[in-house]
């Protein structure tokens, strides 16, 4: 999972778990569990991060604005997610790597030591896009915040071993509530296409590459309102960590939405931590949508697209193995390589059947509601679910 700092990468995963395996319309089909060892990686669990975000629906007043900065990690976070069918044994174990935004900078030491090995070994790349910044900010600010040019360099290192070694890149614009409500989600998709045009063209030229654009509403009841110059509260000249935006000479709105009258020994100053590679990045402010509540949109689609991709890749490997191996030994080799390693004891045929049914029922969205299969490789077209 790639993107800028605190754009919401881990909330994509949290949204998948919520809508696919817990409370969504597909929860009757799947059981989704977090098996991450947080002691080894991070103290911030997916559940905790999403809980804090959803809590804003109950703790923020509808008539004010606030910020939604999440709990960030300073190192690559590996999430171990298990997914299984609700009526079948076996678990599909999927590792998600949440990469801190600054690691995508090619000038950083971590880019070569940690990023490149990951890129060469992963099959699916989720590019998280902070939608308010791509829609409301200048090209310079958006490039710095969403790490666009850094990603162009990083994703050139995807390695495709052969025609069955499919790779998938999913561009996921987050926090799309405002544009979904106004019926302007296609404007978001168009902006993604123009802003990421170089990267999209590069990826589309790869063999065995799938590219999708998949906008989502992360919470539903929280909507982008405006940008503001990044300001922070100081006490006796020392940073307090409280972000704010002035509404008069002496009054500010704090990041939690509360108004505060600034008096000695407190003062307001520019936020020195708001710079990304020398570019001042404004703060995004949000508001509660009355009566909307928790109503995410299309969060489960990321998982469904990934699962379908894994099945198609497995089918291609099976077909290739069948061409290259005959007899009992070849049959056993096919079974071991294509099923046991990939699906870890899960009922693969039942899984494939379910994904096929969901696709035929239009539960997997390909070209509507802003979702678009931007590029489909020839190998994909050879397989029929």
């Amino acid at each position: 999972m790639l993107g800028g700092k605190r754009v919401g990468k881990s909330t994509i995963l949290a949204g998948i778990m919520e809508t696919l395996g817990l409370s969504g319309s597909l929860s009757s089909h799947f059981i989704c569990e977090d098996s991450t060892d947080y002691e080894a990686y991070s103290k911030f669990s997916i559940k905790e991060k999403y809980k804090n975000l959803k809590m804003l629906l109950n703790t923020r007043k509808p008539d004010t604005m606030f910020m939604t900065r999440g709990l960030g990690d300073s190192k690559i976070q590996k999430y171990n997610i298990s997914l299984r069918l609700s009526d079948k044994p076996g678990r599909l174990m999927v590792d998600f790597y949440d990469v801190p935004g600054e690691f995508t900078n090619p000038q950083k030491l971590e880019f070569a030591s940690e990023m490149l090995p990951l890129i060469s070994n992963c099959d699916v790349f989720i590019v998280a896009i902070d939608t308010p910044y791509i829609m409301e900010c200048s090209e310079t600010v958006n490039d710095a915040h969403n790490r666009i040019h850094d990603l162009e360099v990083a994703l050139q290192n995807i390695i495709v071993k052969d025609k069955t070694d499919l790779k998938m890149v999913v561009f996921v614009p987050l926090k799309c509530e405002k544009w979904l409500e106004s019926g302007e989600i296609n404007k978001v998709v168009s902006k993604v296409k123009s802003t990421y045009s170089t990267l999209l063209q590069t990826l589309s030229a790869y063999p065995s590459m799938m590219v999708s654009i998949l906008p989502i509403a992360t919470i539903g009841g929280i909507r982008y309102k405006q940008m503001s110059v990044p300001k922070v509260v100081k006490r006796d000249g020392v940073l307090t960590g409280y972000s704010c935006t002035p509404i008069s000479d002496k009054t500010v709105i704090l990041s939690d939405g509360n108004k505060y009258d600034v008096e000695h020994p407190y003062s307001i100053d520019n936020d020195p931590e708001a710079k990304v590679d020398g570019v001042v990045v404004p703060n995004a402010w949000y508001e509660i949508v009355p009566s909307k509540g928790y109503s995410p949109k299309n969060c489960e689609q990321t998982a469904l697209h990934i699962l379908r991709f894994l099945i198609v890749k497995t089918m291609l490997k099976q077909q290739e193995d069948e061409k290259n191996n005959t007899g009992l030994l070849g049959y056993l080799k096919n079974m071991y390589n294509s099923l046991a390693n990939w699906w870890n004891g899960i009922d693969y045929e039942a899984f494939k059947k379910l994904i096929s049914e969901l696709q035929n029922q239009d539960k997997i969205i390909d070209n509507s509601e802003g979702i678009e299969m931007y590029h489909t490789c020839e190998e994909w077209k050879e397989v029929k679910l």
Side-chain angles (χ1 to χ4, degrees), residues 148 152 191-202 374:
I148 296 170
E152 289 175 2
K191 195 63 180 264
V192 169
K193 288 181 181 179
S194 61
T195 305
Y196 290 84
S197 60
T198 300
L199 180 55
L200 286 166
Q201 291 170 14
T202 299
Y374 181 85

Side-chain angles (χ1 to χ4, degrees), residues 30-179:
F30 300 99
I31 295 176
C32 191
E33 297 173 327
D34 184 2
S35 304
T36 304
D37 180 3
Y38 286 101
E39 292 296 326
Y41 286 93
S42 169
K43 61 182 178 181
F44 302 132
S45 69
I46 300 172
K47 184 177 180 180
E48 182 181 1
K49 288 184 177 184
Y50 212 55
K51 179 182 177 182
N52 289 341
L53 189 56
K54 290 170 65 176
M55 194 182 300
L56 298 176
L57 291 169
N58 300 319
T59 59
R60 299 295 181 259
K61 299 176 182 179
D63 57 348
T64 188
M65 63 181 188
F66 52 89
M67 294 173 62
T68 61
R69 281 181 176 171
L71 303 171
D73 290 304
S74 59
K75 59 183 180 180
I76 293 177
Q77 169 68 56
K78 179 183 177 182
Y79 296 106
N80 304 110
I81 305 303
S82 66
L83 186 68
R84 62 186 175 91
L85 301 180
S86 57
D87 59 346
K88 298 291 182 181
R91 297 173 185 270
L92 178 62
M93 302 300 297
V94 184
D95 293 335
F96 287 84
Y97 294 88
D98 185 351
V99 180
E102 54 269 30
F103 283 21
T104 59
N105 185 341
Q107 298 180 5
K108 295 288 186 179
L109 176 64
E110 293 86 355
F111 179 84
S113 63
E114 299 187 50
M115 272 280 293
L116 293 185
L118 267 183
I119 289 174
S120 63
N121 285 294
C122 286
D123 290 304
V124 179
F125 304 85
I126 299 173
V127 177
I129 301 171
D130 203 335
T131 302
Y133 286 86
I134 195 175
M135 297 299 291
E136 303 290 333
C137 293
S138 69
E139 182 178 337
T140 300
V141 168
N142 178 45
D143 182 22
H145 181 65
N146 277 312
R147 296 283 179 179
I148 296 170
H149 283 91
D150 288 347
L151 289 172
E152 289 175 2
V153 175
L155 292 178
Q156 288 179 9
N157 293 279
I158 294 176
I159 297 175
V160 178
K161 299 174 184 176
D162 55 56
K163 73 173 189 176
T164 66
D165 187 26
L166 263 61
K167 303 293 182 181
M168 183 179 192
V169 181
V170 188
F171 291 81
V172 183
L174 301 150
K175 311 167 193 174
C176 290
E177 285 82 350
K178 174 182 176 180
W179 294 272

